[in-house]
Amino acid sequence: MTAENFDLLKEKLNGRVTDDPFETSFYTRDMASFPGFLVKLMFRVGAELAARPQSEEDVRQLVAYARDNHMAITPRAGGTSAYMNAVPVSGGMVMDLTGLSGLIRLDKERGVAEVWCGTAWSALEKDLNREGFTLCSYPSSAVSSTVGGWFSMEGQGIGSMAWGCFHDLVESAHVILASGEEFDADAAGPRPLSLFAGKEGTLAIVTRLTFKVVPLAEAAYHVSFAAPSAIVAAKIMDMAEKGPVKPFNGHFADRTCLDFQKRMGYEVPEVSGFLVTLSYRGAAADMAACRAYAETIRLKTGVRLCSDETAAEEWEERLYSLRIKRNGPTLLAAEVILPMARLNDFYGRVKKLRQRVSVYGHMMSGQQANVMAQYYADESQTLRYLFYLAKTKKINDAAIACGGRPYGTGVWNTVYLKRSRDPASLAEAREAKERLDPENRMNPGKFYRPPKLMPPALFGLACFAANLGSRVLRIGRRR
Amino acid sequence: MRGKPIFENLKKEALVCARCGYCRVDCPVYEGLGWESASPRAKMEITRKLAFHGKLTEKDIARLFQCTLCGQCRETCSARIDTVSVWLEMRRRIAAGEKGPENMRRLAAAIDETGNTAGDAPENRRLWLEAMDDEAVLKRVGQKAELLYFTGCSGALYPQIYGIPQAFTRILTRSGADFTVLGENESCCGFPLAAAGEPERIRKQAEHNVAAAKELGVRTVVTTCPSCFHAWRDFYPEILGGETPFEVLHASQWLAREIAADRLRLGPVEERVTYHDPCDLGRNSGVFEEPRYVLNQIPGLELVEMECSGSDAACCGGGGNLEAVDPALTEVIAEARLREAEATAAKTVVSGCQQCKRTLQGNARRKKIRLRFADITELVDRSMAAYEANQ
């Protein structure tokens, strides 16, 4: 890149692009914590440029600049993922899309909203509520994560029990390829929407999305059950799924999760196995049926109903699962997708980790759950921390063994690709990548293949040795 | 409830931060500057640098002081970190190494030397009183009394704010309260010293003010400034090692109590107003209801809320001594708040803070935004005058 060209770009973007290492340094991490030496050894972490487009025209200018200078582009918004999905690992430009924010239009008749990609879910919900509408579903990090970010990820979260994957709610997306070509992708056509959904920004920049929204519900009803085991928890979810009114959301937390909360000073209900919460929303008249059905579930499963306060609290705190982090101070996690019927099997395997692991999950459609298995560690003790990190592999292995898979790919979960993804869909994704981004400039180093320095066999061996070491050294036993 | 925010030490909080970015969403500084480096999440990264490596660059330091200490990030923090305490401790560590911004150092030195933020002669604290041209009020300076009206530096020394202490003094007089003011014997509450990173210097201010109040037999201290209120109520007991022998109230709390007890006579004020929650009174001190109660008791007054109000209220941009280090950023933040106020179609923005009024009013003038500004005491004063006029 020449200084002249860069100055011109700066001018066009009114100063919202910089090569100042101070500014670019803040885009080199996401929510996960990995020892710096390890990351530096494996990747060229960091970008030469950081840019903050505020319009589609800005994005065009930046894409053209990157194209002309053969530069990688890492799209980023909330930065709330944990697998380096939005961290530049091949230099180039990091494009902070949070400036493309806001509700563009709401079609009340059709129940669709067109929204800029950098809009935070919480802000969008406020905007929609003012118009008498609400979101169908949103991620459990909705306070700061963005519409475009969730579309680029797997799109499973709160409300997915009723509405399914967010990808299926999207009607169209405006995409800009690395070549500069742009178009609206929808369900049909040679480059359909499904091609870009969940690809973690490796194919294109999605600038705006049009998706389904619904009128605000008249009423809501939340109910919590004290299930004695994972089997009963799964049974409750199964009954809820098949009930006369489908819950908007279903989530569960195991006893360890509640214990972790208790250690933080929160009041938690006495539950021997799982706290299962169902949240209904809809017409006021339907709520009586929901209550009646909750009673049916209680009678048929023989579980105890928790207080209304507990159910309300579970709902209120749905976006704050990280409130238990302080006890770590690091909270390591593996997020997986799991068939609910195998929850008990998965739970049994996770409990063999020789460290307390809390299990927390949201129901998806089709009797599957998005499960977060979390355990404490301390990243300030670097050597020991490596042993803790290796334990996530055991959790991911447990999920795969139970017919599940890791949620999200980024860099770190590429080592599970062969074991967890359907080979045909993976081949199709790779083919699309080669076709749409032949120079591999869109978010390179993610999603399709493991890094060269981290082949799955070597990764597996290293984790095996570390986990053996953990066992001998009793790492994590007291946590 | 997500529980009380916690601050243990810098190392711990830097590790506890989950980097979820919840703190970015409503941060006025991040909103104003746009760069990730300006977000509270980045400030936690800077905290981590200092806590574990002990060194900061000039740019790191500049970002840390670009903060209004409004507490919005503490409200949304998913890991329940008392972020405001983190920022204050960071400022303290930086100031201890004499690396803080020059303007902050000058401010702290001025308070230390003159007892006020303006660096004025102490006797200038009487000017607002003298301007009232009321001998009876002047006589109250330094008199023994039940109630001390602690004016604060802004009210006492900035002529464009004189209206607030004058209004509150008239209310006190009309109510028949047994009150006094310290006049030239009043010293800065010390709150700006904490924001400047020099909390150790607050002790001198606290000892002076508490001794002066004790000497006058005061039982209740009332302030019109939320920062003074916060310092008297929360800092002084901590610094002086125990409870102070006073009840400490913000003027809005005192007004609410007096109105509820039917001791203030209110007349009509036909106006549509919106209430701006000062950060140090609302989020940082938990006073949300009383100002609204007071406003709702004024006949004819229509109170409309801004989009962000109560614990979600946006900052005016005047907190954290931000104006001393980045006045342009203060302007950006103030303008955003003014636009919110404008959207309510209210004629007047009411607040319970001298600094908020000064910041919002000044920026409205610069941006040619047609809004009027009043402190809650000024509205009550008008309302009482209207009652008297109707008798």
Side-chain angles (χ1 to χ4, degrees), chain B residues 22-40:
Chain B
Y22 279 24
C23 54
R24 296 189 324 166
V25 177
D26 292 317
C27 170
V29 170
Y30 173 68
E31 184 74 18
L33 295 173
W35 291 107
E36 174 72 25
S37 63
S39 69

mmCIF file of all heavy atoms in Angstrom, chain B residues 22-40:
data_model
loop_
_atom_site.group_PDB
_atom_site.id
_atom_site.type_symbol
_atom_site.label_atom_id
_atom_site.label_comp_id
_atom_site.label_asym_id
_atom_site.label_seq_id
_atom_site.Cartn_x
_atom_site.Cartn_y
_atom_site.Cartn_z
ATOM 1 N N TYR B 22 -20.354 -5.787 26.891
ATOM 2 C CA TYR B 22 -21.635 -5.232 27.332
ATOM 3 C C TYR B 22 -21.448 -3.755 27.720
ATOM 4 O O TYR B 22 -22.334 -2.939 27.543
ATOM 5 C CB TYR B 22 -22.171 -5.993 28.553
ATOM 6 C CG TYR B 22 -22.885 -7.286 28.252
ATOM 7 C CD1 TYR B 22 -22.639 -7.996 27.090
ATOM 8 C CD2 TYR B 22 -23.810 -7.815 29.151
ATOM 9 C CE1 TYR B 22 -23.289 -9.187 26.827
ATOM 10 C CE2 TYR B 22 -24.477 -9.003 28.898
ATOM 11 C CZ TYR B 22 -24.217 -9.693 27.740
ATOM 12 O OH TYR B 22 -24.876 -10.874 27.489
ATOM 13 N N CYS B 23 -20.262 -3.469 28.254
ATOM 14 C CA CYS B 23 -19.957 -2.120 28.727
ATOM 15 C C CYS B 23 -19.889 -1.092 27.599
ATOM 16 O O CYS B 23 -19.999 0.105 27.842
ATOM 17 C CB CYS B 23 -18.624 -2.153 29.470
ATOM 18 S SG CYS B 23 -17.281 -2.877 28.499
ATOM 19 N N ARG B 24 -19.681 -1.555 26.374
ATOM 20 C CA ARG B 24 -19.519 -0.611 25.265
ATOM 21 C C ARG B 24 -20.836 0.023 24.862
ATOM 22 O O ARG B 24 -20.874 1.151 24.373
ATOM 23 C CB ARG B 24 -18.999 -1.334 24.008
ATOM 24 C CG ARG B 24 -17.648 -1.919 24.134
ATOM 25 C CD ARG B 24 -17.165 -2.393 22.790
ATOM 26 N NE ARG B 24 -18.214 -2.943 21.940
ATOM 27 C CZ ARG B 24 -18.088 -3.161 20.659
ATOM 28 N NH1 ARG B 24 -16.980 -2.861 20.052
ATOM 29 N NH2 ARG B 24 -19.070 -3.695 19.951
ATOM 30 N N VAL B 25 -21.901 -0.766 25.023
ATOM 31 C CA VAL B 25 -23.158 -0.422 24.366
ATOM 32 C C VAL B 25 -23.688 0.968 24.727
ATOM 33 O O VAL B 25 -24.103 1.716 23.853
ATOM 34 C CB VAL B 25 -24.207 -1.520 24.651
ATOM 35 C CG1 VAL B 25 -25.546 -1.155 24.052
ATOM 36 C CG2 VAL B 25 -23.717 -2.829 24.050
ATOM 37 N N ASP B 26 -23.657 1.317 25.996
ATOM 38 C CA ASP B 26 -24.194 2.625 26.376
ATOM 39 C C ASP B 26 -23.111 3.587 26.839
ATOM 40 O O ASP B 26 -23.431 4.611 27.448
ATOM 41 C CB ASP B 26 -25.253 2.449 27.477
ATOM 42 C CG ASP B 26 -26.485 1.734 26.940
ATOM 43 O OD1 ASP B 26 -26.916 2.073 25.829
ATOM 44 O OD2 ASP B 26 -26.992 0.827 27.612
ATOM 45 N N CYS B 27 -21.867 3.255 26.583
ATOM 46 C CA CYS B 27 -20.782 4.135 27.046
ATOM 47 C C CYS B 27 -20.769 5.417 26.200
ATOM 48 O O CYS B 27 -20.590 5.358 24.980
ATOM 49 C CB CYS B 27 -19.438 3.428 26.937
ATOM 50 S SG CYS B 27 -18.047 4.551 27.213
ATOM 51 N N PRO B 28 -20.942 6.584 26.827
ATOM 52 C CA PRO B 28 -20.998 7.815 26.034
ATOM 53 C C PRO B 28 -19.664 8.142 25.374
ATOM 54 O O PRO B 28 -19.643 8.760 24.309
ATOM 55 C CB PRO B 28 -21.385 8.879 27.068
ATOM 56 C CG PRO B 28 -21.003 8.318 28.393
ATOM 57 C CD PRO B 28 -21.115 6.833 28.271
ATOM 58 N N VAL B 29 -18.570 7.729 25.992
ATOM 59 C CA VAL B 29 -17.252 8.021 25.419
ATOM 60 C C VAL B 29 -17.030 7.162 24.176
ATOM 61 O O VAL B 29 -16.590 7.647 23.128
ATOM 62 C CB VAL B 29 -16.147 7.793 26.478
ATOM 63 C CG1 VAL B 29 -14.761 7.839 25.840
ATOM 64 C CG2 VAL B 29 -16.256 8.847 27.574
ATOM 65 N N TYR B 30 -17.357 5.901 24.285
ATOM 66 C CA TYR B 30 -17.221 5.006 23.131
ATOM 67 C C TYR B 30 -18.139 5.479 21.997
ATOM 68 O O TYR B 30 -17.750 5.528 20.836
ATOM 69 C CB TYR B 30 -17.556 3.568 23.532
ATOM 70 C CG TYR B 30 -17.595 2.625 22.357
ATOM 71 C CD1 TYR B 30 -16.437 2.311 21.656
ATOM 72 C CD2 TYR B 30 -18.797 2.070 21.934
ATOM 73 C CE1 TYR B 30 -16.471 1.465 20.560
ATOM 74 C CE2 TYR B 30 -18.842 1.222 20.842
ATOM 75 C CZ TYR B 30 -17.681 0.920 20.150
ATOM 76 O OH TYR B 30 -17.728 0.094 19.062
ATOM 77 N N GLU B 31 -19.333 5.854 22.401
ATOM 78 C CA GLU B 31 -20.303 6.358 21.424
ATOM 79 C C GLU B 31 -19.751 7.593 20.720
ATOM 80 O O GLU B 31 -19.874 7.755 19.518
ATOM 81 C CB GLU B 31 -21.611 6.696 22.165
ATOM 82 C CG GLU B 31 -22.750 7.147 21.302
ATOM 83 C CD GLU B 31 -23.388 6.016 20.507
ATOM 84 O OE1 GLU B 31 -23.190 4.831 20.847
ATOM 85 O OE2 GLU B 31 -24.064 6.338 19.543
ATOM 86 N N GLY B 32 -19.077 8.426 21.487
ATOM 87 C CA GLY B 32 -18.563 9.687 20.942
ATOM 88 C C GLY B 32 -17.321 9.515 20.085
ATOM 89 O O GLY B 32 -17.158 10.214 19.095
ATOM 90 N N LEU B 33 -16.447 8.596 20.465
ATOM 91 C CA LEU B 33 -15.176 8.457 19.740
ATOM 92 C C LEU B 33 -15.198 7.317 18.718
ATOM 93 O O LEU B 33 -14.504 7.382 17.705
ATOM 94 C CB LEU B 33 -14.025 8.237 20.737
ATOM 95 C CG LEU B 33 -13.740 9.423 21.667
ATOM 96 C CD1 LEU B 33 -12.708 9.038 22.722
ATOM 97 C CD2 LEU B 33 -13.246 10.632 20.878
ATOM 98 N N GLY B 34 -15.925 6.256 19.033
ATOM 99 C CA GLY B 34 -16.115 5.184 18.051
ATOM 100 C C GLY B 34 -15.030 4.122 18.011
ATOM 101 O O GLY B 34 -15.295 3.007 17.605
ATOM 102 N N TRP B 35 -13.830 4.437 18.431
ATOM 103 C CA TRP B 35 -12.767 3.438 18.376
ATOM 104 C C TRP B 35 -12.899 2.451 19.526
ATOM 105 O O TRP B 35 -13.245 2.827 20.640
ATOM 106 C CB TRP B 35 -11.382 4.107 18.441
ATOM 107 C CG TRP B 35 -11.054 4.888 17.222
ATOM 108 C CD1 TRP B 35 -11.024 6.247 17.102
ATOM 109 C CD2 TRP B 35 -10.743 4.364 15.923
ATOM 110 N NE1 TRP B 35 -10.705 6.605 15.809
ATOM 111 C CE2 TRP B 35 -10.518 5.470 15.067
ATOM 112 C CE3 TRP B 35 -10.624 3.075 15.400
ATOM 113 C CZ2 TRP B 35 -10.196 5.318 13.719
ATOM 114 C CZ3 TRP B 35 -10.298 2.930 14.063
ATOM 115 C CH2 TRP B 35 -10.081 4.039 13.237
ATOM 116 N N GLU B 36 -12.578 1.216 19.236
ATOM 117 C CA GLU B 36 -12.611 0.194 20.279
ATOM 118 C C GLU B 36 -11.751 0.624 21.478
ATOM 119 O O GLU B 36 -12.096 0.373 22.631
ATOM 120 C CB GLU B 36 -12.095 -1.143 19.710
ATOM 121 C CG GLU B 36 -11.944 -2.278 20.706
ATOM 122 C CD GLU B 36 -13.246 -2.869 21.200
ATOM 123 O OE1 GLU B 36 -14.267 -2.776 20.496
ATOM 124 O OE2 GLU B 36 -13.252 -3.437 22.318
ATOM 125 N N SER B 37 -10.640 1.305 21.199
ATOM 126 C CA SER B 37 -9.739 1.727 22.278
ATOM 127 C C SER B 37 -10.416 2.661 23.275
ATOM 128 O O SER B 37 -9.923 2.841 24.387
ATOM 129 C CB SER B 37 -8.516 2.436 21.684
ATOM 130 O OG SER B 37 -8.922 3.606 21.010
ATOM 131 N N ALA B 38 -11.540 3.264 22.871
ATOM 132 C CA ALA B 38 -12.237 4.201 23.757
ATOM 133 C C ALA B 38 -13.291 3.503 24.605
ATOM 134 O O ALA B 38 -13.941 4.128 25.435
ATOM 135 C CB ALA B 38 -12.897 5.299 22.930
ATOM 136 N N SER B 39 -13.462 2.216 24.392
ATOM 137 C CA SER B 39 -14.510 1.495 25.123
ATOM 138 C C SER B 39 -14.036 1.097 26.514
ATOM 139 O O SER B 39 -12.838 0.955 26.747
ATOM 140 C CB SER B 39 -14.899 0.234 24.345
ATOM 141 O OG SER B 39 -13.827 -0.696 24.385
ATOM 142 N N PRO B 40 -14.960 0.898 27.434
ATOM 143 C CA PRO B 40 -14.547 0.410 28.763
ATOM 144 C C PRO B 40 -13.821 -0.940 28.668
ATOM 145 O O PRO B 40 -12.909 -1.200 29.440
ATOM 146 C CB PRO B 40 -15.879 0.272 29.506
ATOM 147 C CG PRO B 40 -16.812 1.189 28.816
ATOM 148 C CD PRO B 40 -16.403 1.181 27.378
#
